[in-house]
Amino acid sequence: MKSISIIEQANKVMTDKSKQDNIYSKPQSNIAGFTFDENVARVFPDMIKRSAPGYEPIIDMICMLTRHYVRPNSNCYDLGCSLGAATLAIRHGIHVPGCRIIAVDNSASMLDKCRTIIDRDKAETPVELMCADIRDIEIRNASVIVLNFTLQFIDPSDRLSLLQKIYDGMMPGGALILSEKIVFENPQKQSLLTELHLAFKKFYGYSDLEISQKRTALENVLIPETVNTHINRLKKAGFSRAEHWFLCLNFASFIAVK
Ligand code: GEK
């Protein structure tokens, strides 16, 4: 699939040791809430691959899903684009004329690096980068919208109105691809999958200290919900079809079609 080279392109820009995530490797007396600042942007490809099980296959599938749902003369949105991995997956999935991609993030550090990565890619579809809060932007004439691990950072009380805005700005037959860290209703399942997510991070080289300090930083910043909460909210927002299509440990992806 084309997006393998997309991950490689991001990696080319970010491969040396200084781009490895060691943000939480030293003990910190006061752990501030997690923000997407310059330090995070610098190591982001390494951080997300070692923290989010299933991230790379989901990026590949965004390319394939875009190919299926994109329509001529429409807009595609990547909301919370970070360094643009999903933006490039969308771009390489587009095979029809007249499309435009709008990639949005409210971290200027992320968007600066995203611009460098997008500029190195030679695909034709224009990409407009916007530094904005995704709750404030206008969405219109969309055939494909991606929220790849972004909704989890939005205040839960704002999530339904954001999804309603996405639904309203989408053409009939358009699709939203929503990926999220999730929690499970069953406490035993939740405990097992939490243990396995911990094992995943250790397998990819994070220490106990790094894992626990990052967990503290993300508390009240990344708020995961259950599969049922997501599906019910997507339906409430208006989507006639909303299904859960991918699960890797406690990381899931959903597709919702208008
Ligand atoms: C990827 N999708 O590589 N408005 C705009 N951007 C926001 C907001 C907001 N209100 N809140 C958070 N962000 C990417 C990965 S990362 C996921 C997405 C993660 C942005 C934030 O600045 C960050 O870049 C992104 O959402 C979340 O496919 O780090 O787990």
Side-chain angles (χ1 to χ4, degrees), residues 34 36 40 44 47-48 52 55 59 62 78-87 104-107 110 132-135 146-150 152-154 222 251:
F34 190 84
F36 292 94
V40 169
F44 187 72
M47 173 185 280
I48 193 136
Y55 174 77
I59 294 289
I62 287 172
D78 183 8
L79 304 178
C81 61
S82 300
L83 302 189
T87 310
V104 187
D105 205 290
N106 63 356
S107 159
M110 286 288 195
D133 190 310
I134 59 174
R135 288 169 290 196
V146 170
L147 271 170
N148 204 36
F149 301 112
T150 305
Q152 59 196 16
F153 293 105
I154 301 292
L222 188 170
F251 285 70

mmCIF file of all heavy atoms in Angstrom, residues 34 36 40 44 47-48 52 55 59 62 78-87 104-107 110 132-135 146-150 152-154 222 251, ligand 1:
data_model
loop_
_atom_site.group_PDB
_atom_site.id
_atom_site.type_symbol
_atom_site.label_atom_id
_atom_site.label_comp_id
_atom_site.label_asym_id
_atom_site.label_seq_id
_atom_site.Cartn_x
_atom_site.Cartn_y
_atom_site.Cartn_z
ATOM 1 N N PHE A 34 -0.088 17.303 29.707
ATOM 2 C CA PHE A 34 0.529 17.069 28.389
ATOM 3 C C PHE A 34 0.082 18.131 27.392
ATOM 4 O O PHE A 34 -1.105 18.438 27.283
ATOM 5 C CB PHE A 34 0.102 15.685 27.902
ATOM 6 C CG PHE A 34 0.830 15.224 26.684
ATOM 7 C CD1 PHE A 34 2.067 14.617 26.784
ATOM 8 C CD2 PHE A 34 0.270 15.411 25.423
ATOM 9 C CE1 PHE A 34 2.738 14.193 25.657
ATOM 10 C CE2 PHE A 34 0.940 14.989 24.289
ATOM 11 C CZ PHE A 34 2.171 14.383 24.409
ATOM 12 N N PHE A 36 0.971 19.617 23.166
ATOM 13 C CA PHE A 36 1.639 19.309 21.897
ATOM 14 C C PHE A 36 2.578 20.458 21.542
ATOM 15 O O PHE A 36 2.356 21.211 20.596
ATOM 16 C CB PHE A 36 0.588 19.045 20.810
ATOM 17 C CG PHE A 36 -0.173 17.772 21.060
ATOM 18 C CD1 PHE A 36 -1.387 17.782 21.733
ATOM 19 C CD2 PHE A 36 0.353 16.557 20.660
ATOM 20 C CE1 PHE A 36 -2.075 16.613 21.995
ATOM 21 C CE2 PHE A 36 -0.323 15.373 20.907
ATOM 22 C CZ PHE A 36 -1.535 15.405 21.576
ATOM 23 N N VAL A 40 7.376 17.819 21.943
ATOM 24 C CA VAL A 40 6.567 16.679 21.497
ATOM 25 C C VAL A 40 6.595 16.576 19.969
ATOM 26 O O VAL A 40 6.781 15.494 19.410
ATOM 27 C CB VAL A 40 5.116 16.793 22.030
ATOM 28 C CG1 VAL A 40 4.202 15.768 21.371
ATOM 29 C CG2 VAL A 40 5.093 16.622 23.549
ATOM 30 N N PHE A 44 7.473 13.268 17.673
ATOM 31 C CA PHE A 44 6.125 12.720 17.560
ATOM 32 C C PHE A 44 6.024 11.383 16.802
ATOM 33 O O PHE A 44 5.342 10.459 17.276
ATOM 34 C CB PHE A 44 5.166 13.757 16.955
ATOM 35 C CG PHE A 44 3.749 13.306 16.986
ATOM 36 C CD1 PHE A 44 3.045 13.255 18.179
ATOM 37 C CD2 PHE A 44 3.113 12.876 15.829
ATOM 38 C CE1 PHE A 44 1.747 12.794 18.223
ATOM 39 C CE2 PHE A 44 1.816 12.423 15.864
ATOM 40 C CZ PHE A 44 1.125 12.386 17.064
ATOM 41 N N MET A 47 7.097 8.742 19.149
ATOM 42 C CA MET A 47 6.177 8.659 20.300
ATOM 43 C C MET A 47 4.894 7.917 19.933
ATOM 44 O O MET A 47 4.473 6.996 20.633
ATOM 45 C CB MET A 47 5.837 10.079 20.787
ATOM 46 C CG MET A 47 4.778 10.133 21.844
ATOM 47 S SD MET A 47 4.319 11.833 22.257
ATOM 48 C CE MET A 47 5.634 12.307 23.336
ATOM 49 N N ILE A 48 4.282 8.280 18.824
ATOM 50 C CA ILE A 48 2.958 7.698 18.529
ATOM 51 C C ILE A 48 3.083 6.224 18.133
ATOM 52 O O ILE A 48 2.274 5.402 18.518
ATOM 53 C CB ILE A 48 2.150 8.540 17.501
ATOM 54 C CG1 ILE A 48 0.688 8.069 17.482
ATOM 55 C CG2 ILE A 48 2.747 8.523 16.108
ATOM 56 C CD1 ILE A 48 -0.327 9.142 17.478
ATOM 57 N N ALA A 52 0.795 3.995 20.558
ATOM 58 C CA ALA A 52 -0.560 3.728 20.053
ATOM 59 C C ALA A 52 -0.560 2.451 19.216
ATOM 60 O O ALA A 52 -0.239 2.488 18.019
ATOM 61 C CB ALA A 52 -1.054 4.920 19.230
ATOM 62 N N TYR A 55 -1.383 2.054 15.176
ATOM 63 C CA TYR A 55 -1.316 3.358 14.489
ATOM 64 C C TYR A 55 -0.931 3.192 13.008
ATOM 65 O O TYR A 55 -1.588 3.767 12.122
ATOM 66 C CB TYR A 55 -0.310 4.270 15.212
ATOM 67 C CG TYR A 55 -0.058 5.585 14.507
ATOM 68 C CD1 TYR A 55 -0.979 6.617 14.576
ATOM 69 C CD2 TYR A 55 1.107 5.778 13.758
ATOM 70 C CE1 TYR A 55 -0.757 7.822 13.927
ATOM 71 C CE2 TYR A 55 1.339 6.978 13.102
ATOM 72 C CZ TYR A 55 0.403 7.993 13.182
ATOM 73 O OH TYR A 55 0.634 9.180 12.530
ATOM 74 N N ILE A 59 -3.129 4.096 9.552
ATOM 75 C CA ILE A 59 -2.712 5.077 8.535
ATOM 76 C C ILE A 59 -2.827 4.454 7.137
ATOM 77 O O ILE A 59 -3.359 5.075 6.202
ATOM 78 C CB ILE A 59 -1.267 5.578 8.811
ATOM 79 C CG1 ILE A 59 -1.205 6.393 10.114
ATOM 80 C CG2 ILE A 59 -0.726 6.386 7.622
ATOM 81 C CD1 ILE A 59 -1.860 7.769 10.076
ATOM 82 N N ILE A 62 -6.431 4.339 6.102
ATOM 83 C CA ILE A 62 -7.025 5.651 5.766
ATOM 84 C C ILE A 62 -6.841 5.909 4.263
ATOM 85 O O ILE A 62 -7.718 6.457 3.594
ATOM 86 C CB ILE A 62 -6.406 6.759 6.645
ATOM 87 C CG1 ILE A 62 -6.934 6.631 8.078
ATOM 88 C CG2 ILE A 62 -6.703 8.164 6.078
ATOM 89 C CD1 ILE A 62 -6.265 7.535 9.098
ATOM 90 N N ASP A 78 -8.420 16.560 7.515
ATOM 91 C CA ASP A 78 -7.672 15.813 8.525
ATOM 92 C C ASP A 78 -7.662 16.689 9.779
ATOM 93 O O ASP A 78 -6.946 17.701 9.833
ATOM 94 C CB ASP A 78 -6.247 15.516 8.025
ATOM 95 C CG ASP A 78 -5.462 14.684 9.028
ATOM 96 O OD1 ASP A 78 -6.062 14.214 10.016
ATOM 97 O OD2 ASP A 78 -4.240 14.500 8.818
ATOM 98 N N LEU A 79 -8.468 16.325 10.771
ATOM 99 C CA LEU A 79 -8.681 17.182 11.949
ATOM 100 C C LEU A 79 -7.774 16.717 13.094
ATOM 101 O O LEU A 79 -7.934 15.612 13.600
ATOM 102 C CB LEU A 79 -10.155 17.138 12.355
ATOM 103 C CG LEU A 79 -11.140 17.540 11.245
ATOM 104 C CD1 LEU A 79 -12.582 17.425 11.735
ATOM 105 C CD2 LEU A 79 -10.856 18.950 10.726
ATOM 106 N N GLY A 80 -6.823 17.574 13.480
ATOM 107 C CA GLY A 80 -5.787 17.184 14.442
ATOM 108 C C GLY A 80 -4.706 16.433 13.688
ATOM 109 O O GLY A 80 -4.378 15.288 13.981
ATOM 110 N N CYS A 81 -4.152 17.106 12.677
ATOM 111 C CA CYS A 81 -3.296 16.423 11.683
ATOM 112 C C CYS A 81 -1.891 16.121 12.213
ATOM 113 O O CYS A 81 -1.166 15.331 11.611
ATOM 114 C CB CYS A 81 -3.211 17.246 10.402
ATOM 115 S SG CYS A 81 -2.488 18.897 10.633
ATOM 116 N N SER A 82 -1.447 16.758 13.301
ATOM 117 C CA SER A 82 -0.067 16.587 13.812
ATOM 118 C C SER A 82 0.927 16.793 12.669
ATOM 119 O O SER A 82 0.904 17.835 12.018
ATOM 120 C CB SER A 82 0.115 15.231 14.487
ATOM 121 O OG SER A 82 -0.756 15.100 15.573
ATOM 122 N N LEU A 83 1.744 15.774 12.361
ATOM 123 C CA LEU A 83 2.768 15.954 11.318
ATOM 124 C C LEU A 83 2.281 15.533 9.934
ATOM 125 O O LEU A 83 3.075 15.497 8.987
ATOM 126 C CB LEU A 83 4.040 15.182 11.686
ATOM 127 C CG LEU A 83 4.678 15.566 13.029
ATOM 128 C CD1 LEU A 83 6.039 14.888 13.177
ATOM 129 C CD2 LEU A 83 4.832 17.071 13.186
ATOM 130 N N GLY A 84 1.014 15.170 9.824
ATOM 131 C CA GLY A 84 0.434 14.957 8.497
ATOM 132 C C GLY A 84 0.483 13.532 7.971
ATOM 133 O O GLY A 84 0.290 13.323 6.772
ATOM 134 N N ALA A 85 0.687 12.536 8.837
ATOM 135 C CA ALA A 85 0.718 11.147 8.347
ATOM 136 C C ALA A 85 -0.624 10.770 7.712
ATOM 137 O O ALA A 85 -0.664 10.208 6.603
ATOM 138 C CB ALA A 85 1.059 10.187 9.488
ATOM 139 N N ALA A 86 -1.723 11.111 8.389
ATOM 140 C CA ALA A 86 -3.040 10.788 7.816
ATOM 141 C C ALA A 86 -3.349 11.692 6.622
ATOM 142 O O ALA A 86 -3.987 11.269 5.660
ATOM 143 C CB ALA A 86 -4.126 10.919 8.887
ATOM 144 N N THR A 87 -2.849 12.942 6.666
ATOM 145 C CA THR A 87 -3.048 13.863 5.532
ATOM 146 C C THR A 87 -2.463 13.238 4.267
ATOM 147 O O THR A 87 -3.085 13.251 3.197
ATOM 148 C CB THR A 87 -2.330 15.208 5.796
ATOM 149 O OG1 THR A 87 -2.686 15.688 7.089
ATOM 150 C CG2 THR A 87 -2.665 16.241 4.749
ATOM 151 N N VAL A 104 -5.896 20.395 9.763
ATOM 152 C CA VAL A 104 -6.043 21.377 10.838
ATOM 153 C C VAL A 104 -5.384 20.878 12.119
ATOM 154 O O VAL A 104 -5.559 19.709 12.499
ATOM 155 C CB VAL A 104 -7.551 21.625 11.125
ATOM 156 C CG1 VAL A 104 -7.730 22.768 12.124
ATOM 157 C CG2 VAL A 104 -8.322 21.901 9.849
ATOM 158 N N ASP A 105 -4.657 21.749 12.774
ATOM 159 C CA ASP A 105 -4.131 21.433 14.112
ATOM 160 C C ASP A 105 -3.968 22.757 14.862
ATOM 161 O O ASP A 105 -3.662 23.783 14.242
ATOM 162 C CB ASP A 105 -2.782 20.703 14.014
ATOM 163 C CG ASP A 105 -2.514 19.840 15.251
ATOM 164 O OD1 ASP A 105 -2.268 20.414 16.337
ATOM 165 O OD2 ASP A 105 -2.552 18.595 15.137
ATOM 166 N N ASN A 106 -4.158 22.727 16.169
ATOM 167 C CA ASN A 106 -3.979 23.982 16.917
ATOM 168 C C ASN A 106 -2.591 24.102 17.545
ATOM 169 O O ASN A 106 -2.344 25.019 18.321
ATOM 170 C CB ASN A 106 -5.093 24.196 17.961
ATOM 171 C CG ASN A 106 -5.101 23.129 19.047
ATOM 172 O OD1 ASN A 106 -4.323 22.187 18.985
ATOM 173 N ND2 ASN A 106 -5.984 23.280 20.013
ATOM 174 N N SER A 107 -1.676 23.171 17.184
ATOM 175 C CA SER A 107 -0.295 23.287 17.652
ATOM 176 C C SER A 107 0.570 23.842 16.517
ATOM 177 O O SER A 107 0.762 23.180 15.488
ATOM 178 C CB SER A 107 0.220 21.913 18.092
ATOM 179 O OG SER A 107 1.631 21.904 18.080
ATOM 180 N N MET A 110 3.535 21.595 15.664
ATOM 181 C CA MET A 110 3.179 20.456 14.806
ATOM 182 C C MET A 110 3.036 20.921 13.353
ATOM 183 O O MET A 110 3.585 20.314 12.432
ATOM 184 C CB MET A 110 1.850 19.837 15.258
ATOM 185 C CG MET A 110 1.941 19.022 16.514
ATOM 186 S SD MET A 110 2.816 17.465 16.212
ATOM 187 C CE MET A 110 2.361 16.569 17.683
ATOM 188 N N ALA A 132 -5.669 26.047 13.812
ATOM 189 C CA ALA A 132 -6.956 26.443 14.407
ATOM 190 C C ALA A 132 -7.467 25.344 15.315
ATOM 191 O O ALA A 132 -7.039 24.189 15.216
ATOM 192 C CB ALA A 132 -7.980 26.696 13.297
ATOM 193 N N ASP A 133 -8.397 25.732 16.164
ATOM 194 C CA ASP A 133 -9.109 24.743 16.980
ATOM 195 C C ASP A 133 -10.175 24.106 16.085
ATOM 196 O O ASP A 133 -10.948 24.836 15.443
ATOM 197 C CB ASP A 133 -9.752 25.453 18.188
ATOM 198 C CG ASP A 133 -10.294 24.452 19.200
ATOM 199 O OD1 ASP A 133 -11.033 23.528 18.802
ATOM 200 O OD2 ASP A 133 -9.964 24.596 20.387
ATOM 201 N N ILE A 134 -10.208 22.775 16.051
ATOM 202 C CA ILE A 134 -11.152 22.115 15.135
ATOM 203 C C ILE A 134 -12.611 22.403 15.519
ATOM 204 O O ILE A 134 -13.502 22.213 14.706
ATOM 205 C CB ILE A 134 -10.902 20.590 15.026
ATOM 206 C CG1 ILE A 134 -11.011 19.904 16.395
ATOM 207 C CG2 ILE A 134 -9.558 20.317 14.368
ATOM 208 C CD1 ILE A 134 -10.922 18.379 16.308
ATOM 209 N N ARG A 135 -12.842 22.894 16.740
ATOM 210 C CA ARG A 135 -14.205 23.255 17.132
ATOM 211 C C ARG A 135 -14.648 24.551 16.473
ATOM 212 O O ARG A 135 -15.835 24.843 16.420
ATOM 213 C CB ARG A 135 -14.299 23.405 18.656
ATOM 214 C CG ARG A 135 -14.222 22.056 19.362
ATOM 215 C CD ARG A 135 -14.035 22.209 20.843
ATOM 216 N NE ARG A 135 -12.707 22.706 21.152
ATOM 217 C CZ ARG A 135 -12.151 22.658 22.349
ATOM 218 N NH1 ARG A 135 -12.823 22.136 23.357
ATOM 219 N NH2 ARG A 135 -10.938 23.116 22.552
ATOM 220 N N VAL A 146 -11.212 12.832 8.592
ATOM 221 C CA VAL A 146 -10.439 11.958 9.480
ATOM 222 C C VAL A 146 -10.243 12.652 10.820
ATOM 223 O O VAL A 146 -9.811 13.809 10.880
ATOM 224 C CB VAL A 146 -9.069 11.619 8.833
ATOM 225 C CG1 VAL A 146 -8.157 10.918 9.829
ATOM 226 C CG2 VAL A 146 -9.263 10.755 7.586
ATOM 227 N N LEU A 147 -10.566 11.916 11.876
ATOM 228 C CA LEU A 147 -10.250 12.346 13.256
ATOM 229 C C LEU A 147 -9.404 11.207 13.815
ATOM 230 O O LEU A 147 -9.934 10.263 14.412
ATOM 231 C CB LEU A 147 -11.535 12.467 14.073
ATOM 232 C CG LEU A 147 -12.311 13.765 14.123
ATOM 233 C CD1 LEU A 147 -13.667 13.553 14.804
ATOM 234 C CD2 LEU A 147 -11.555 14.880 14.827
ATOM 235 N N ASN A 148 -8.104 11.225 13.539
ATOM 236 C CA ASN A 148 -7.251 10.090 13.927
ATOM 237 C C ASN A 148 -6.588 10.388 15.271
ATOM 238 O O ASN A 148 -5.573 11.064 15.341
ATOM 239 C CB ASN A 148 -6.197 9.851 12.831
ATOM 240 C CG ASN A 148 -5.673 8.433 12.829
ATOM 241 O OD1 ASN A 148 -6.424 7.480 13.101
ATOM 242 N ND2 ASN A 148 -4.392 8.257 12.538
ATOM 243 N N PHE A 149 -7.208 9.883 16.334
ATOM 244 C CA PHE A 149 -6.716 10.074 17.711
ATOM 245 C C PHE A 149 -6.723 11.547 18.136
ATOM 246 O O PHE A 149 -5.820 11.989 18.828
ATOM 247 C CB PHE A 149 -5.316 9.445 17.873
ATOM 248 C CG PHE A 149 -5.309 7.978 17.560
ATOM 249 C CD1 PHE A 149 -4.646 7.486 16.442
ATOM 250 C CD2 PHE A 149 -6.007 7.092 18.359
ATOM 251 C CE1 PHE A 149 -4.680 6.132 16.133
ATOM 252 C CE2 PHE A 149 -6.050 5.726 18.065
ATOM 253 C CZ PHE A 149 -5.371 5.248 16.943
ATOM 254 N N THR A 150 -7.758 12.276 17.729
ATOM 255 C CA THR A 150 -7.889 13.691 18.108
ATOM 256 C C THR A 150 -9.089 13.931 19.012
ATOM 257 O O THR A 150 -8.994 14.709 19.961
ATOM 258 C CB THR A 150 -8.046 14.567 16.843
ATOM 259 O OG1 THR A 150 -6.954 14.318 15.971
ATOM 260 C CG2 THR A 150 -8.061 16.053 17.187
ATOM 261 N N GLN A 152 -10.277 12.324 21.332
ATOM 262 C CA GLN A 152 -9.978 11.998 22.739
ATOM 263 C C GLN A 152 -9.377 13.184 23.509
ATOM 264 O O GLN A 152 -9.377 13.194 24.735
ATOM 265 C CB GLN A 152 -9.029 10.793 22.794
ATOM 266 C CG GLN A 152 -7.718 11.023 22.071
ATOM 267 C CD GLN A 152 -6.944 9.733 21.788
ATOM 268 O OE1 GLN A 152 -7.485 8.642 21.866
ATOM 269 N NE2 GLN A 152 -5.664 9.861 21.453
ATOM 270 N N PHE A 153 -8.878 14.191 22.792
ATOM 271 C CA PHE A 153 -8.309 15.386 23.437
ATOM 272 C C PHE A 153 -9.315 16.533 23.536
ATOM 273 O O PHE A 153 -8.995 17.599 24.058
ATOM 274 C CB PHE A 153 -7.056 15.866 22.683
ATOM 275 C CG PHE A 153 -5.907 14.888 22.785
ATOM 276 C CD1 PHE A 153 -5.563 14.083 21.716
ATOM 277 C CD2 PHE A 153 -5.192 14.764 23.968
ATOM 278 C CE1 PHE A 153 -4.526 13.164 21.807
ATOM 279 C CE2 PHE A 153 -4.148 13.846 24.081
ATOM 280 C CZ PHE A 153 -3.812 13.050 22.996
ATOM 281 N N ILE A 154 -10.513 16.333 22.984
ATOM 282 C CA ILE A 154 -11.552 17.375 23.021
ATOM 283 C C ILE A 154 -12.408 17.173 24.279
ATOM 284 O O ILE A 154 -12.760 16.031 24.612
ATOM 285 C CB ILE A 154 -12.450 17.271 21.752
ATOM 286 C CG1 ILE A 154 -11.606 17.424 20.468
ATOM 287 C CG2 ILE A 154 -13.598 18.262 21.783
ATOM 288 C CD1 ILE A 154 -11.027 18.783 20.238
ATOM 289 N N LEU A 222 -6.246 13.402 27.963
ATOM 290 C CA LEU A 222 -6.756 12.396 27.022
ATOM 291 C C LEU A 222 -7.853 11.631 27.761
ATOM 292 O O LEU A 222 -7.566 10.936 28.743
ATOM 293 C CB LEU A 222 -5.610 11.450 26.601
ATOM 294 C CG LEU A 222 -5.875 10.446 25.477
ATOM 295 C CD1 LEU A 222 -4.564 9.781 25.041
ATOM 296 C CD2 LEU A 222 -6.909 9.391 25.773
ATOM 297 N N PHE A 251 -6.988 0.310 21.341
ATOM 298 C CA PHE A 251 -7.033 1.375 20.336
ATOM 299 C C PHE A 251 -7.948 0.926 19.202
ATOM 300 O O PHE A 251 -7.735 -0.142 18.628
ATOM 301 C CB PHE A 251 -5.618 1.709 19.838
ATOM 302 C CG PHE A 251 -4.847 2.499 20.869
ATOM 303 C CD1 PHE A 251 -4.430 1.905 22.049
ATOM 304 C CD2 PHE A 251 -4.587 3.844 20.670
ATOM 305 C CE1 PHE A 251 -3.767 2.637 23.029
ATOM 306 C CE2 PHE A 251 -3.920 4.591 21.637
ATOM 307 C CZ PHE A 251 -3.506 3.981 22.821
HETATM 308 C C1 GEK B 1 -1.905 11.379 13.074
HETATM 309 N N1 GEK B 1 -3.946 12.620 13.555
HETATM 310 O O1 GEK B 1 -0.673 11.308 13.066
HETATM 311 N N2 GEK B 1 -7.978 21.584 17.641
HETATM 312 C C2 GEK B 1 -7.029 21.236 16.746
HETATM 313 N N3 GEK B 1 -6.096 20.281 16.987
HETATM 314 C C3 GEK B 1 -6.119 19.687 18.194
HETATM 315 C C4 GEK B 1 -7.071 20.017 19.180
HETATM 316 C C5 GEK B 1 -8.037 21.004 18.864
HETATM 317 N N4 GEK B 1 -8.981 21.374 19.729
HETATM 318 N N5 GEK B 1 -6.847 19.245 20.282
HETATM 319 C C6 GEK B 1 -5.784 18.473 19.991
HETATM 320 N N6 GEK B 1 -5.351 18.737 18.746
HETATM 321 C C7 GEK B 1 -2.543 12.471 13.899
HETATM 322 C C8 GEK B 1 -2.333 12.224 15.368
HETATM 323 S S1 GEK B 1 -2.400 13.471 17.836
HETATM 324 C C9 GEK B 1 -2.817 12.061 18.713
HETATM 325 C C10 GEK B 1 -3.130 13.142 16.244
HETATM 326 C C11 GEK B 1 -1.941 11.736 19.856
HETATM 327 C C12 GEK B 1 -4.232 18.103 18.026
HETATM 328 C C13 GEK B 1 -2.929 18.085 18.791
HETATM 329 O O2 GEK B 1 -2.212 19.314 18.650
HETATM 330 C C14 GEK B 1 -2.222 16.897 18.159
HETATM 331 O O3 GEK B 1 -1.382 17.277 17.102
HETATM 332 C C15 GEK B 1 -3.363 16.020 17.667
HETATM 333 O O4 GEK B 1 -4.561 16.748 17.843
HETATM 334 C C16 GEK B 1 -3.499 14.694 18.407
HETATM 335 O O5 GEK B 1 -2.667 10.596 12.451
HETATM 336 O O6 GEK B 1 -0.946 12.401 20.121
HETATM 337 O O7 GEK B 1 -2.303 10.707 20.539
#
